[in-house]
Amino acid sequence: MATSSRYRTMSRAAYLRAIAAMKARHPWLGSQVVEPAPGHMLVVEQFLSKAELLMQPENLQGTPLFCATTYRDRLCLRMELTNASVSRDRALLDLIDVSRHAAQQHCPVCGAPVIGGDANAGQGVRCKRHEASIGLFTEDIKRNRRLALGLGLLPAPAERVRSIRGEPIDPSVPMDEGVSFVVQTLHHETPLEPPLAPSSPPAARATPQIAFLDVSGLRSFVDRHRTKSEEKAKRAHHIAERIRAAGHERRCLGELPDDWPDLIDEFTCNFPNFAEVAEVLHDYFALHAMGDGRVSWSPLLLVGPAGIGKTEAARWLAERLCLPFRVMDMASAQSGSPLAGSESFWSNSEPGVLFELLAYQPKANPVVVLDELDKTDKDRPYDPLAALYTLLEPRSARSFIDLSIRDFSIDASHVNWIATANSADNIPAPLLSRMTVLQVQAPTTEHAAHIAQQIYGRMRAESPWGSAFSPRLDEQVVNQLKNLPPRSVGLAIKRALGRAAREERDYIRVGDLPSMPSPTRNPMGFTA
């Protein structure tokens, strides 16, 4: 079927003329940002006509804020009226949502109708004719196509196929049907096996997304604070703006890299005493690689001596998986407010760390470390562990409500939890039942030597002065560091590097290491 002539690409000059004509029809757009995709201009025009019906003369006098742009083929629309009532603002937000959804039903290049466009999707949808094109304007599409052909990224256009008589073959008849017809007419010939179709490359996997919150709840939160003090109204507006900037009601989930098995091997190499942790992560990664590839594991509790690298291992995972990361010091927590927010009736009420981490970030599966979980004081009037009974259970975590913002819930069921402890004895049994408990042993002497080299290598890579020192530690220095826990190894190496820098050397000697602490403690108290 031929493409309708009404859906054509637009040159940049024609686009600028159309924008100028739109601003002439709506004079109050003169100083506003109006840069929608060419295929979304009709949607914007319809939005402006309906929005003007909601405006009062005083709204136009104050020059309402308007911005229409495009991002990843989606229409980004923003408008705010001055001195408008709550009802008019709410009606305008509804109109914006309707227009965003309408834009997703049209190709951003030519405006042709498309099927399957979702206003909550992170990417717009193009029509079949332009789904492989790069650019929005006619000259950009042609230029990028020529470049792709020159680089061999696109197949050369096929020449018109003609029959042996020189007549053009009807393109409406598929070639496989034509071949089958010819073969069937040859009664005395043995039919040939049809050639195997070339294997097509696997389709790119879509980024997994979730419904993060209810938009109506966010609106009611903002509306409820309009009638309160100016400070609280600004605070509510600021929170809503940061949520919208991070993805509004949708969130994406961080995905496993294509080389995730190599990542597991590298983790095992860098943290040799975390072999059991690596095995558990390997199982979860292999399972989710068969699905949408999201990074997800059930809550883990790492139990082991202090200073062996439990928190550092979690930080390494978050950095390699490109996920947001946060450490919660549970030993100093006096209540559940750092995690779940403070009650809204307090004048200085603030959201908790988890709400800020999820609501203000585009990814909904961060890595959160509950450090020193066994040292939490559970006898306080406000139990610091109370929120974890909800958050560590995926079914209840889907509707997590921060105590400071009770108007709407958020989906916290995709958080990747890692708790650390020196002992599991002081952790309540209901919490233990929600986590996979893994024992992490102190590194052996052989492991300690390897860990010392790894710590030194990371220290050089992450520091601006790292290139001034030799790439590896001397074996005699490593032998002196073997009996120290990883945390103390890092401190000792940095101190030794400082002493080497003072003498303008590019390597560490054994004499640069600080004095090692005695393995036994001196007795304290009075002696006879």
Side-chain angles (χ1 to χ4, degrees):
M1 181 182 296
T3 305
S4 174
S5 59
R6 97 182 250 209
Y7 303 118
R8 292 181 176 177
T9 58
M10 185 180 293
S11 66
R12 195 177 296 274
Y15 173 79
L16 294 177
R17 290 194 298 269
I19 292 294
M22 181 184 295
K23 290 188 174 183
R25 289 190 296 271
H26 309 279
W28 58 274
L29 290 177
S31 60
Q32 309 289 349
V33 178
V34 186
E35 298 175 355
H40 295 158
M41 292 187 64
L42 181 59
V43 175
V44 174
E45 181 67 44
Q46 293 173 347
F47 168 80
L48 292 172
S49 301
K50 295 176 182 178
E52 287 176 349
L53 297 176
L54 298 174
M55 296 184 189
Q56 297 293 329
E58 57 269 20
N59 300 139
L60 288 174
Q61 291 175 1
T63 308
L65 171 67
F66 179 82
C67 181
T69 57
T70 181
Y71 174 68
R72 298 182 67 185
D73 290 344
R74 290 188 299 117
L75 174 63
C76 302
L77 197 57
R78 172 75 179 276
M79 184 173 179
E80 289 184 5
L81 301 179
T82 56
N83 302 322
S85 63
V86 174
S87 300
R88 289 185 187 278
D89 274 346
R90 190 174 299 174
L92 185 62
L93 289 174
D94 292 338
L95 187 57
I96 289 175
D97 288 342
V98 171
S99 300
R100 288 176 55 240
H101 181 74
Q104 288 290 85
Q105 309 302 316
H106 292 82
C107 174
V109 178
C110 64
V114 294
I115 300 175
D118 181 6
N120 296 321
Q123 179 80 34
V125 181
R126 297 194 176 195
C127 63
K128 293 293 183 182
R129 185 182 179 190
H130 297 117
E131 63 181 357
S133 302
I134 302 176
L136 292 174
F137 302 101
T138 305
E139 51 265 41
D140 297 337
I141 294 175
K142 290 182 178 179
R143 181 180 66 253
N144 292 324
R145 179 172 176 80
R146 287 195 300 269
L147 291 174
L149 288 172
L151 295 173
L153 302 177
L154 289 177
E159 299 181 358
R160 181 181 292 273
V161 181
R162 294 180 177 272
S163 67
I164 58 176
R165 299 178 182 178
E167 301 173 349
I169 296 177
D170 185 1
S172 63
V173 179
M175 291 300 295
D176 53 352
E177 293 183 8
V179 173
S180 300
F181 174 77
V182 173
V183 172
Q184 291 173 7
T185 58
L186 300 177
H187 302 288
H188 303 291
E189 298 291 339
T190 303
L192 299 176
E193 291 292 331
L196 295 177
S199 58
S200 57
R205 185 170 55 195
T207 301
Q209 294 191 351
I210 63 166
F212 178 65
L213 56 80
D214 182 12
V215 180
S216 60
L218 179 60
R219 290 176 186 164
S220 65
F221 168 70
V222 176
D223 292 343
R224 183 170 61 84
H225 284 77
R226 291 184 191 274
T227 58
K228 297 188 176 183
S229 64
E230 182 180 0
E231 181 181 354
K232 289 189 175 182
K234 287 183 178 180
R235 170 181 171 271
H237 182 74
H238 179 66
I239 291 174
E241 284 302 306
R242 294 188 66 181
I243 291 175
R244 293 192 184 103
H248 206 25
E249 70 271 27
R250 308 286 293 184
R251 289 292 183 277
C252 63
L253 298 177
E255 299 177 84
L256 291 167
D258 294 335
D259 60 344
W260 66 264
D262 296 335
L263 184 146
I264 293 292
D265 294 340
E266 188 177 352
F267 177 80
T268 306
C269 181
N270 285 321
F271 303 94
N273 53 322
F274 284 73
E276 189 177 0
V277 178
E279 283 297 313
V280 172
L281 292 176
H282 201 155
D283 294 340
Y284 282 112
F285 289 1
L287 180 64
H288 291 291
M290 298 177 64
D292 56 12
R294 68 182 62 183
V295 179
S296 177
W297 60 75
S298 297
L300 304 178
L301 173 61
L302 309 185
V303 181
I308 61 173
K310 298 186 289 293
T311 304
E312 182 61 28
R315 190 188 307 275
W316 187 94
L317 279 172
E319 290 178 355
R320 291 301 309 273
L321 295 170
C322 301
L323 295 176
F325 178 74
R326 187 65 61 89
V327 178
M328 299 287 299
D329 183 11
M330 302 304 295
S332 62
Q334 300 180 6
S335 67
S337 58
L339 190 61
S342 54
E343 287 287 358
S344 56
F345 54 75
W346 296 107
S347 60
N348 58 347
S349 175
E350 290 291 339
V353 171
L354 186 63
F355 178 90
E356 294 180 347
L357 185 63
L358 293 174
Y360 305 154
Q361 296 277 352
K363 293 182 180 179
N365 55 340
V367 178
V368 178
V369 174
L370 304 172
D371 202 24
E372 307 289 357
L373 189 63
D374 57 329
K375 296 180 176 58
T376 305
D377 188 356
K378 299 176 290 296
D379 297 329
R380 292 183 177 273
Y382 304 101
D383 186 5
L385 303 179
L388 292 177
Y389 295 99
T390 298
L391 290 169
L392 297 183
E393 193 69 47
R395 188 179 299 274
S396 56
R398 290 193 185 99
S399 302
F400 172 68
I401 296 178
D402 188 276
L403 298 180
S404 180
I405 305 174
R406 291 184 173 272
D407 298 80
F408 59 92
S409 62
I410 61 175
D411 187 352
S413 62
H414 302 279
V415 176
N416 294 300
W417 298 96
I418 296 180
T420 69
N422 301 135
S423 172
D425 297 338
N426 296 328
I427 300 176
L431 282 185
L432 288 177
S433 66
R434 288 166 164 81
M435 297 183 287
T436 302
V437 181
L438 302 175
Q439 298 291 333
V440 181
Q441 304 298 329
T444 62
T445 304
E446 292 76 12
H447 290 166
H450 178 76
I451 291 173
Q453 293 286 7
Q454 293 292 331
I455 292 176
Y456 176 70
R458 285 200 299 270
M459 197 175 292
R460 289 183 64 250
E462 296 171 359
S463 303
W465 39 258
S467 58
F469 292 93
S470 60
R472 290 186 62 83
L473 289 172
D474 183 77
E475 290 299 325
Q476 293 181 346
V477 174
V478 172
N479 290 333
Q480 291 294 320
L481 296 171
K482 281 183 179 180
N483 297 324
L484 295 179
R487 181 184 299 167
S488 301
V489 169
L491 296 175
I493 290 177
K494 183 166 287 190
R495 180 75 182 277
L497 286 170
R499 291 184 177 178
R502 289 171 58 180
E503 299 182 8
E504 298 183 353
R505 281 186 281 103
D506 64 349
Y507 62 93
I508 297 175
R509 296 185 304 201
V510 174
D512 297 329
L513 296 173
S515 57
M516 303 300 174
S518 175
T520 59
R521 291 185 176 181
N522 293 326
M524 296 179 63
F526 297 100
T527 57

